[in-house]
Each structure stands twice: as C-alpha cells, then as structure tokens.
Amino acid sequence: SSDVCSSDLLSAGFADPAETAWLAAATLGFFMASTGMGWSQGHQRFGLLAALIVAEVAIKVVLGVELVASGAGPAGAFAAALAGALAIAIAMLWPMRHELAPTRAALASRRLWRSAAGMGAVQAAVTLLSVIDVLFMVLRFGPTRAVADYQVSATLTRAPLFLALALATAAFPQLARRPGDRAVLSTHIQHVLNVLIPLLVLIATLPGPLLTAVLPGGYDGAVR
C-alpha cells in the first residue's frame, strides 16, 4: 500500500486522475503478482520464475502497444501492465493452492510484519534510486529532445542493474538458508562483480557506429 501511495504522489504532479488511478492499480497488481514470483524463487523453481517474468513482460508489451496505438495514451500502458500482473497472479493460484490457507496467526506475527516492512523499504529505495533521475529530468525540463536522449541512454545503461537483480534472485534462497554466512556472501558478491565490471566497461566503450545502428534515428544526444 505504501508503494501504491508513493506512485500516486509522484505522478500527481504531471498525470491526470485517470492515469494516476491506472498507475495505482498497476502498482498494486504488480505486488499481487510478486507473491507468486516470490513463491517460485523461494522454492528454487527458477524455470517457472523465468517463464512468469517473460509472460508478464510479453503481455504488458503486446497489449500496451495495442492500447497506446489505439489512442489510450499512458493510461493504456498502465492498464496493460495491470493485465500482465493479474495474469501472473491468477496463473500462480494453482501451483500455490496447498499453501494459500489463511491464518490469523500470520497477522499477529511481529516478526513477519518487521520482515515485510524491511523488504518493502528496500524495494522502495531501490525503485526510487533507479528511476529518480528520469523523473527529475521530465519534471524539470519537460518533454524536450534532450530529455528523450537521456531517457534512451538511461534505458541502455540500466542493463547492469537488471542483471544484478537477476543474480540476487538466484542467490536469495541460499542466503536465506545461511543468513550472515560470510563465505556465501563473498562468493555471490564476487559473482556479481565478475559479471558487472566487464559489462560496465563494455557499455562505456561501445563504438559510435554500433550505437547508431541500435538507437532510433535522431537520438544523437543519446549516442554522446
């Protein structure tokens, strides 16, 4: 609920009420879908987790393109994101069916509430840090060519962030079983560095002609 409120507050300055409502619904839908994704991660069913993520993105992109092309605008993109999230949440009801029995004891567990609050705070902080620059550029300078160039380049250079999240997802079950184990921590940190540092060097040294071939025409600022 805190993330839904945060998304509404951030978007209220530049989005109309309908778009804000769809954004809030999409945010809530994403967290509903994350339950099934978290279940797959906790059971180390990474094949299922990968299928869920790919399916969610595919639904969101295909439906989003159709809705935006038909004139629905940003609200259509948010509605597509909600549809993708709900599809995953519904699909995971069957694999999780034996573990969905409600219990009042869970509501009274302070440990679970503290854990949920801690994970929510980390998720909110990571999300904010990963998008604050793009939001600031739009709010400060508006829809200009320079802002568009920045957004495109920021999308490409966020590849290490998503790769790091993927590595952390695979490492989480082992870390959960052996919390505080320095050997486990150092091993996974080394894996992250071994992948991310070469990737950062690769991104920083990509030749101009290759970037020009990948980026749409007119984004010279993004190449720079």
Side-chain angles (χ1 to χ4, degrees):
S1 60
S2 62
D3 289 278
V4 175
C5 293
S6 298
S7 65
D8 278 354
L9 290 174
L10 287 172
S11 63
F14 57 86
D16 62 39
E19 293 174 358
T20 302
W22 278 112
L23 174 59
T27 305
L28 179 61
F30 173 79
F31 280 94
M32 293 173 60
S34 69
T35 301
M37 293 181 180
W39 182 90
S40 304
Q41 179 187 12
H43 286 76
Q44 300 188 53
R45 297 181 61 177
F46 295 115
L48 175 60
L49 178 59
L52 292 174
I53 294 174
V54 170
E56 190 258 342
V57 172
I59 294 171
K60 180 167 56 178
V61 170
V62 173
L63 184 58
V65 169
E66 290 291 333
L67 290 175
V68 172
S70 66
F78 296 141
L82 174 62
L86 290 180
I88 299 307
I90 294 172
M92 284 303 296
L93 289 176
W94 178 256
M96 297 169 54
R97 64 191 184 280
H98 297 304
E99 301 180 37
L100 290 178
T103 172
R104 293 184 179 179
L107 297 176
S109 173
R110 293 183 178 181
R111 181 182 63 82
L112 289 178
W113 283 109
R114 285 195 303 267
S115 176
M119 287 189 292
V122 170
Q123 288 178 334
V126 171
T127 301
L128 181 62
L129 288 174
S130 65
V131 302
I132 190 64
D133 57 330
V134 176
L135 286 174
F136 172 78
M137 292 288 286
V138 175
L139 293 175
R140 175 64 178 83
F141 301 105
T144 64
R145 172 55 62 85
V147 171
D149 287 338
Y150 182 85
Q151 289 178 327
V152 170
S153 61
T155 300
L156 294 176
T157 53
R158 273 173 171 73
L161 170 64
F162 297 118
L163 183 56
L165 291 175
L167 293 172
T169 299
F172 180 79
Q174 187 176 6
L175 293 172
R177 289 194 303 269
R178 298 166 61 183
D181 189 317
R182 292 185 179 273
V184 175
L185 288 172
S186 62
T187 298
H188 287 294
I189 290 174
Q190 189 64 47
H191 289 164
V192 171
L193 294 178
N194 288 342
V195 174
L196 293 191
I197 290 179
L199 181 59
L200 289 171
V201 174
L202 176 64
I203 291 175
T205 58
L206 282 174
L210 179 58
L211 286 173
T212 303
V214 173
L215 295 175
Y219 285 93
D220 297 334
V223 175
R224 292 193 299 271

